[in-house]
Amino acid sequence: MSVTSVEYVLFLFVTVISYYLLPHKYQWILLTVASVSFYILTCFRCIPYILITSMSAYLAGLLIGGEAAVPVGGKSRGKRGYKKAIMITVLILNFGILFVLKYIDAALLGADRIFHLTNSGYEIPQYDVLLPVGISFYTFQTMGYIIDVYRNKADAEKNYFKLLLFVSFFPQLIQGPISRHDELAEQLYEGHEARWKNISSGMLRVVWGYFKKLVIADTLAIVSKSIIEYPESFGGGYVTFLIVVYTAQLYNDFSGGMDIAIGTGEMLGIEMRENFNRPFASTSVKEYWKRWHITLGAWFQNYVFYPLSICLPMQKLSKKIRSKFGRSFARRIPVYIATLFTWLLTGMWHGAGANFAVWGLLNATVMLISMELDPLYSRFAQFAPRVHSSYAYTLFCRVRTFFLIGAIRLLDCYRNVGETFSRIFSIFTDAEGWRRFVRGGFLRLGMKSSEYFLILLCLALVLFVSSYRERAGSPLRYKITERPRTFFLCVGALFVAIVIFGNYGLGFEGSNFIYNQF
């Protein structure tokens, strides 16, 4: 069952109505049944995997967080070691499942190519391994819970079905956001009253998410697909156009999915973490990644970057380097190593291909270079304070960051590393591609001029809505829901726009969200 299907809308409607008809103490049970039912309807064959994750986390949590973890006659150091062993075991189990299911196909294909190059005549059999829906998201969220229990930052859940709800909560199951147990669990288990503000605000956000996904993202996908499928025919200006189009497509696809997820939670009285904070207002790559997919970045920062950068081996390495190259260089080395490793893992989280690993390392490299150039930026700010503080310079930095991130993201479009760099170089070398594009070539990519105009209006509306919160201090939907007549007018207008301009219809399912594949 796709989130963009009519069946899901009916499922959501029935769940919300039933939720508020039940007494508070039974509401979490309904959410558990609804979440498991949603997963069964979405991917019935995937159920064993999410049950293994939830049950292993439940048992590990009890052992780590309870007295059962204390060996008879053991001392406090032994207790700690015992709990650490349990944590490591459950992490290896669950990340092992994720690794095998996500990367076994690519590994077998790579091994088969090696055998072909050696002319051995041996062929490795290929398997179409089932990748469970949402496995990356629920695995990361659940393993974060286990680590927090080990760190005494979260209490071990003693009710398995409550933990199952935390793992499988249906609005965020498919593509996040990735929540921490101490932020989400209590909200899931406590009862909620039906309030106009929550239900109306959440509903408006859900419809807004469908608008961004079905009207904007799925329409722009026609253009980006036309360019990507024939890379040799579309160079120069087309590649530059692809950077803009695919970035807008991905943002509206992913943030639209987040609007549906967070809005659904809001309708149920449950507040989840935001995953976007005006990323295109960023003036650097580092700032961009603090504003885009916030919960994934926070997960890697809390559970990979910080532990790695301050671990004992890293401290020993820093001490050795300090004696030879000085304190300043020694301090930066742990940060550089941790940054490169964290972003390599981030790339691998997105997929098994070499393009994703290169994508992660490129982002890390750009951030590290920027870090090294910080003294120059500071000198520039002192030398030309008016220029540095001007809107023109800020706009330049934003545009530079936009295209730099977009160029790196082409690795997600073309998937082949060599092809991607070839297309990027064509921006500067393919004069013919620029001529064809400027002379109206963009009108031969599956969209008419009227459709481009419509999308520009929609993007302007998205920009206005996203920037309103920063100016007003609260989301625009809160202002709209204060007046019921305005609320129904906006919901009706968005619904009509989806019906007329989007992908819709009984039995029709919009194209999968891009982040579903991760």
Side-chain angles (χ1 to χ4, degrees):
M1 179 169 60
S2 170
V3 175
T4 55
S5 66
V6 175
E7 289 83 355
Y8 177 80
V9 175
L10 293 174
F11 171 84
L12 178 58
F13 177 78
V14 171
T15 300
V16 173
I17 295 296
S18 303
Y19 182 78
Y20 287 117
L21 289 176
L22 286 174
H24 288 178
K25 64 179 180 179
Y26 298 123
Q27 286 179 339
W28 75 268
I29 298 177
L30 173 69
L31 286 184
T32 306
V33 173
S35 297
V36 173
S37 299
F38 171 76
Y39 204 68
I40 290 174
L41 293 171
T42 303
C43 184
F44 177 76
R45 295 166 57 199
C46 306
I47 284 294
Y49 297 105
I50 197 169
L51 291 179
I52 290 172
T53 297
S54 58
M55 181 57 73
S56 63
Y58 170 70
L59 295 174
L62 291 180
L63 293 173
I64 295 171
E67 291 302 316
V70 183
V72 177
K75 298 181 180 178
S76 100
R77 189 171 181 181
K79 297 176 189 177
R80 192 70 179 170
Y82 186 74
K83 293 181 179 183
K84 187 174 183 179
I86 295 171
M87 179 191 68
I88 292 174
T89 300
V90 76
L91 291 179
I92 291 174
L93 170 65
N94 286 279
F95 282 128
I97 292 173
L98 174 61
F99 181 85
V100 170
L101 295 179
K102 200 163 188 175
Y103 305 110
I104 188 64
D105 282 339
L108 291 175
L109 182 61
D112 188 60
R113 287 176 177 172
I114 292 174
F115 278 111
H116 275 295
L117 290 174
T118 59
N119 297 318
S120 64
Y122 180 76
E123 291 188 4
I124 294 180
Q126 303 297 306
Y127 302 96
D128 186 15
V129 177
L130 172 69
L131 183 63
V133 174
I135 186 171
S136 294
F137 292 97
Y138 73 69
T139 298
F140 272 45
Q141 177 163 303
T142 310
M143 294 306 99
Y145 157 75
I146 290 297
I147 297 171
D148 284 346
V149 171
Y150 173 76
R151 293 175 175 175
N152 295 319
K153 292 184 177 180
D155 295 327
E157 179 54 62
K158 295 178 173 59
N159 185 322
Y160 168 71
F161 294 101
K162 285 187 175 181
L163 184 63
L164 178 61
L165 172 57
F166 169 73
V167 175
S168 64
F169 185 44
F170 74 91
Q172 64 170 32
L173 182 60
I174 302 302
Q175 57 177 353
I178 301 172
S179 300
R180 295 185 66 159
H181 189 266
D182 59 347
E183 297 172 342
L184 182 64
E186 193 62 36
Q187 296 186 75
L188 294 176
Y189 310 147
E190 65 185 7
H192 296 93
E193 295 284 350
R195 292 188 173 91
W196 164 256
K197 181 179 180 181
N198 288 345
I199 296 175
S200 60
S201 177
M203 183 185 299
L204 182 57
R205 185 163 187 176
V206 168
V207 178
W208 176 242
Y210 280 123
F211 173 80
K212 289 162 72 176
K213 163 63 178 172
L214 298 177
V215 176
I216 303 177
D218 283 1
T219 301
L220 290 174
I222 298 170
V223 177
S224 59
K225 184 178 180 181
S226 299
I227 299 174
I228 294 167
E229 285 189 341
Y230 304 98
E232 295 299 329
S233 302
F234 297 110
Y238 291 98
V239 180
T240 306
F241 191 51
L242 176 61
I243 290 175
V244 177
V245 169
Y246 184 71
T247 299
Q249 175 196 342
L250 181 61
Y251 173 75
N252 285 281
D253 186 285
F254 193 17
S255 67
M258 289 300 100
D259 288 328
I260 296 171
I262 298 174
T264 298
E266 193 172 358
M267 291 174 68
L268 297 167
I270 297 167
E271 183 180 351
M272 290 183 282
R273 292 183 66 185
E274 295 292 340
N275 226 10
F276 291 91
N277 179 21
R278 299 186 65 221
F280 303 120
S282 305
T283 57
S284 68
V285 173
K286 183 178 181 180
E287 181 186 0
Y288 176 89
W289 286 115
K290 287 182 178 180
R291 293 170 174 264
W292 178 285
H293 209 338
I294 297 170
T295 57
L296 179 67
W299 195 97
F300 274 107
Q301 188 175 55
N302 292 328
Y303 303 117
V304 179
F305 177 81
Y306 286 145
L308 179 60
S309 60
I310 63 174
C311 68
L312 185 59
M314 201 68 75
Q315 292 178 20
K316 290 181 178 179
L317 176 62
S318 180
K319 188 176 181 180
K320 289 182 180 179
I321 293 175
R322 184 168 62 242
S323 63
K324 295 182 179 180
F325 300 99
R327 184 182 297 273
S328 177
F329 185 69
R331 285 178 177 176
R332 299 202 297 271
I333 286 299
V335 175
Y336 291 174
I337 295 176
T339 300
L340 288 168
F341 183 74
T342 300
W343 275 96
L344 175 62
L345 288 183
T346 304
M348 292 177 65
W349 177 88
H350 283 82
N355 59 305
F356 291 113
V358 174
W359 173 88
L361 291 174
L362 278 177
N363 276 288
T365 302
V366 171
M367 283 186 279
L368 293 178
I369 291 174
S370 179
M371 193 184 303
E372 285 297 314
L373 294 177
D374 273 342
L376 289 179
Y377 297 147
S378 299
R379 290 178 186 176
F380 172 68
Q382 294 173 358
F383 178 75
R386 289 187 178 181
V387 175
H388 186 268
S389 61
S390 67
Y391 178 75
Y393 180 73
T394 300
L395 181 61
F396 163 76
C397 292
R398 288 176 176 177
V399 173
R400 176 199 62 190
T401 301
F402 177 92
F403 279 99
L404 185 55
I405 288 287
I408 296 174
R409 188 171 276 132
L410 289 178
L411 286 159
D412 184 34
C413 296
Y414 295 110
R415 298 297 173 98
N416 181 283
V417 177
E419 185 68 59
T420 300
F421 281 103
S422 173
R423 294 302 88 204
I424 293 174
F425 288 139
S426 77
I427 295 175
F428 309 100
T429 60
D430 190 353
E432 177 59 28
W434 274 102
R435 277 193 292 269
R436 286 191 290 113
F437 177 78
V438 172
R439 291 173 181 173
F442 59 91
L443 294 174
R444 292 188 285 273
L445 296 173
M447 282 175 56
K448 302 176 183 178
S449 56
S450 58
E451 292 172 312
Y452 279 114
F453 180 71
L454 170 67
I455 291 299
L456 284 175
L457 289 179
C458 292
L459 291 175
L461 179 61
V462 170
L463 179 62
F464 171 76
V465 171
S466 65
S467 60
Y468 179 89
R469 180 170 188 167
E470 185 170 323
R471 297 195 309 271
S474 63
L476 178 60
R477 67 182 185 279
Y478 289 175
K479 190 74 174 177
I480 292 173
T481 54
E482 290 176 357
R483 301 178 180 180
R485 189 174 297 179
T486 305
F487 163 75
F488 286 112
L489 179 64
C490 290
V491 170
L494 289 172
F495 178 76
V496 170
I498 293 170
V499 169
I500 296 176
F501 303 112
N503 294 313
Y504 65 95
L506 187 61
F508 180 85
E509 294 187 2
S511 60
N512 285 332
F513 287 92
I514 294 174
Y515 265 72
N516 283 8
Q517 64 185 301
F518 304 139

